[in-house]
Amino acid sequence: MKYKVEILPSAWEDLKKIEDYYAIQFDVSTAIKVSDHILDTIERLEEYPDSGSLTPDKWLNDKGYRMVICKKHIAIYRWIEDTVFIYHIADTQTEYTKLFF
């Protein structure tokens, strides 16, 4: 079964900020590679929505959130019925769990 993956506006905004950072710090080509890798990782959730792992935050885990790691970034999502909702995309070295509070 294929699941629908819906990237919410907050996650698109996160991805745009990541792209901007890499474009400024490196170049546009690098920004596109990073963005494509994140989107490719998220796309795998269409087939394997339970492939992500628990987050480091108990509250998020209790609410059903999971995460997938995309090299230096993570995508935090919830799987509800036949849809995977992507809530945030963040650098793994930030306090990304605070994005929910």
Side-chain angles (χ1 to χ4, degrees):
M1 175 180 181
K2 224 173 187 171
Y3 296 84
K4 180 181 175 192
V5 173
E6 185 173 334
I7 301 175
L8 298 175
S10 56
W12 282 118
E13 188 176 313
D14 295 338
L15 186 61
K16 176 73 173 111
K17 288 177 185 175
I18 291 166
E19 286 177 341
D20 290 347
Y21 171 81
Y22 280 90
I24 291 167
Q25 294 297 315
F26 302 99
D27 54 45
V28 173
S29 175
T30 302
I32 291 169
K33 284 180 188 174
V34 169
S35 177
D36 284 349
H37 177 72
I38 292 169
L39 292 172
D40 288 346
T41 301
I42 289 170
E43 188 177 317
R44 281 188 247 136
L45 295 171
E46 289 178 345
E47 296 281 338
Y48 308 103
D50 58 349
S51 64
S53 58
L54 295 174
T55 73
D57 186 275
K58 183 180 177 346
W59 183 86
L60 290 175
N61 296 336
D62 290 346
K63 299 292 184 204
Y65 291 94
R66 296 182 68 82
M67 66 180 192
V68 287
I69 299 172
C70 323
K71 291 188 181 174
K72 284 187 63 176
H73 300 92
I74 54 109
I76 299 177
Y77 70 95
R78 270 200 310 189
W79 172 23
I80 302 171
E81 295 178 12
D82 64 345
T83 305
V84 175
F85 295 95
I86 309 296
Y87 288 84
H88 284 288
I89 301 168
D91 188 305
T92 57
Q93 297 178 355
T94 62
E95 294 186 43
Y96 53 85
T97 56
K98 291 186 177 182
L99 294 169
F100 290 86
F101 302 104

